[in-house]
């Protein structure tokens, strides 16, 4: 363990999430003392746009914290204790492609699920490994990378294969966002909930929701049967995911639980269990990436502009579970608090009927040496089978990336539940290869004509 105050670097400093994360850090300074915050991004211009907003957030709380903005990895990571990673390789422009290419073939177009997630994985694994190596070279030897970079399941598997000893903790805010909604429905603070959960990232189920030792899942089931996983007043429940498409997503917990009421699904299961409805509601010319570019991103850039002109910073970003969660996890790592959080971790028998080496998402106690998962035991055949298939798709994608294998990429696409046929898989993959020329490793066919 290292002694506070800490040096913290944010890799992907130009993200729209950076101000919210930094705000969360500022309100927790007593619990998580910081000497310096460094923003690091390879897109200097974008980071320079966001940086004054971040600086203002810091200065509203502290004059002492040193603030550094850099594109130089040595400056960014030297002596750092924590690195919060949130890279988006190819930015929203490429997210748009991930969503639109599958949709043109009548297949779910999504950032982390289906072909879009696989494409994003092929872009992100190797840059993530580069980041790990830079942190390894420059940062404190016990530094922790807390990683939000998507597609988190694939990134985590890639890191496990390529850098098995790296001190990286892969996290996602979706379970905790779901818990916030549960709390709102039950009328209790989300910190009062203790949940059991099993699955992969963006692919899992809550099996128990305890409040003071009592399982509230039956009460939630009744509510969800009417409203989905939202209070009646949707906007109040979730300021971060309040766009209409997110409201729809939370509502879709209802049709899933109407059919499978036993457990409460991660919202992302809608893409695998009801892809037809999803595609029917998606506009192939205007997807979530467009919504985000025209919404969250534009609003923040406009606020940065206005702040530069007037010195007044308009209200332009959310402070919510996304920022709170990463700070909670980092605190537990820093001070060996052993707090219980849902994180990604190598299975190692936690789920007895999934492979030993699978990266799973389960509750774990976060110690200064990393997560200690709780024991889940055996999961039902239905869930196990869904998980195995998804895991295989993601693992093949990782192998495709590492080996530069076209066949394995095609297998990954074909195995994904969102993709109906081999022909769909191939057509989408081939278009994506074109669109990702600047980002993907070259994929070779082992059995090419004439070889
Ligand atoms: C949730 C997920 C993230 C994902 C985000 C997308 O928070 O956990 O993994 O990136 O939603 O939200 P957006 O507003 O960009 O569609
Ligand atoms: Mn996530």
């Amino acid at each position: 363990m290292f002694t506070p105050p800490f040096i913290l670097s944010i890799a992907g400093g130009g993200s729209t999430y950076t101000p919210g994360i930094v705000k969360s850090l500022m309100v927790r300074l007593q619990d998580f003392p910081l000497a310096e915050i460094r923003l690091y991004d390879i897109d200097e211009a974008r980071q320079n746009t966001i940086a004054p907003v971040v600086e203002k957030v810091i200065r509203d709380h502290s004059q002492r914290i040193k603030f550094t903005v850099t594109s130089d990895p040595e400056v960014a990571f030297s002596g750092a204790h924590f690195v919060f990673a949130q890279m988006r390789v190819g930015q929203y422009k490429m997210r748009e492609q991930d969503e639109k290419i599958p949709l043109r073939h009548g297949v779910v177009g999504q950032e982390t699920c289906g072909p879009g997630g696989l494409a994003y994985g092929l872009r992100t694994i190797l840059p993530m490994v580069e980041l790990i190596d830079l942190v390894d070279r420059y940062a404190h030897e016990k530094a922790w990378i807390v990683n939000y970079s998507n597609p988190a399941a694939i990134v985590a598997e890639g890191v496990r294969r390529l850098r098995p000893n790296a001190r990286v903790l892969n996290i996602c805010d979706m379970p905790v966002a779901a818990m916030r909604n549960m709390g709102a429905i039950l009328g209790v603070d989300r910190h009062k909930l203790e949940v059991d959960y099993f699955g992969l990232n963006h692919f899992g189920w809550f099996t128990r929701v305890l409040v003071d030792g009592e399982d509230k899942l039956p009460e939630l089931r009744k509510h969800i049967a009417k409203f989905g996983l939202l209070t009646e007043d949707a906007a109040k429940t979730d300021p971060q995911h309040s766009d209409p498409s997110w409201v729809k997503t939370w509502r879709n917990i209802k049709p899933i639980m109407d059919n499978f009421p036993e457990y409460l699904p991660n919202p992302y299961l809608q893409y695998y269990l009801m892809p037809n409805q999803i595609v029917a509601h998606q506009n192939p010319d205007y997807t979530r990436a467009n919504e985000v570019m025209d919404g969250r991103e534009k609003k923040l850039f406009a606020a940065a502009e206005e702040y530069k002109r007037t010195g007044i910073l308009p209200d332009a970003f959310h402070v919510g579970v996304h920022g709170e969660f990463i700070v909670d996890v980092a605190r537990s790592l820093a001070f060996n608090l052993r707090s219980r959080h849902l994180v990604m971790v190598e299975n190692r028998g936690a789920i007895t009927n999934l492979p030993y080496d699978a990266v799973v998402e389960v509750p774990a106690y976060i110690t200064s040496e990393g997560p200690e998962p709780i024991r889940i035991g055996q999961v039902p055949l239905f869930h196990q089978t869904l998980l195995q298939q998804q895991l295989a798709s993601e693992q093949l994608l990782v192998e495709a990336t590492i080996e530069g294998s076209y066949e394995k990429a095609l297998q990954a696409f074909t195995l994904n539940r969102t993709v109906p046929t081999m022909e769909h898989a191939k057509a989408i993959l081939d278009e994506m290869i074109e669109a990702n020329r600047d980002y993907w490793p070259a994929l070779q066919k082992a059995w090419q004509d004439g070889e």
Side-chain angles (χ1 to χ4, degrees), residues 2-11 13 18 21-26 29 32-40 47 54 58 65-70 75-86 135 139-140 143-146 323 326-331 333-334:
F2 15 73
T3 352
F6 306 121
I7 300 172
L8 178 132
S9 308
I10 300 182
T18 308
I21 288 180
V22 171
K23 176 78 187 183
S24 301
L25 286 163
M26 290 305 106
L29 271 180
F32 191 71
L34 292 171
E36 182 173 358
I37 293 180
R38 300 178 186 156
L39 302 191
Y40 169 72
Q47 179 163 263
V54 176
I58 296 174
I65 294 176
K66 192 174 166 202
F67 180 57
T68 305
V69 181
T70 183
V75 175
F77 303 127
S78 289
H81 302 102
F82 288 94
V83 177
F84 288 0
Q86 42 165 1
V135 172
H140 189 286
W144 272 105
I145 300 175
V146 191
I326 197 167
V327 178
D328 280 342
V329 167
R331 278 190 69 224
L333 288 169

Side-chain angles (χ1 to χ4, degrees), residues 16-17 88 92 95 99 110-112 120 148-152 171-175 177 201-202 240-241 243 245-246 266 268 288-289 291-292 296 321-322:
T16 52
Y17 287 111
R88 184 178 284 284
Y92 288 125
R95 174 175 181 178
E99 293 167 349
Q110 217 282 322
E111 175 195 23
T112 65
Y120 192 11
Y148 258 142
S149 309
N150 267 327
I171 61 167
C172 166
D173 65 357
M174 197 78 276
N201 179 237
H202 289 186
Q240 182 193 334
H241 305 103
D243 286 345
S245 55
W246 268 110
N266 188 301
Y268 280 89
R288 180 66 190 153
E291 250 176 52
V292 171
R296 182 167 73 229
V321 291
H322 181 86

Side-chain angles (χ1 to χ4, degrees), residues 218-282:
E219 191 177 331
L220 286 170
R221 243 180 233 121
K222 281 191 202 134
H223 179 95
I224 288 166
K226 289 201 199 118
F227 307 108
L229 193 59
L230 278 175
T231 52
E232 284 173 72
D233 180 358
K236 261 200 198 148
T237 316
D238 181 1
Q240 182 193 334
H241 305 103
S242 63
D243 286 345
S245 55
W246 268 110
V247 170
K248 182 112 191 67
T249 296
W250 292 119
R251 298 255 186 255
N252 276 344
I253 301 281
K254 168 183 159 52
I256 299 176
M257 284 191 80
D258 285 346
N259 288 314
F260 305 112
E262 189 175 15
Y263 300 148
L264 197 164
N266 188 301
Y268 280 89
L269 279 163
Q270 67 172 346
Y271 298 110
Y272 301 96
L273 297 178
M274 40 196 299
N276 293 350
Q277 289 94 314
I278 298 296
V279 171
H281 282 100
Q282 281 187 309

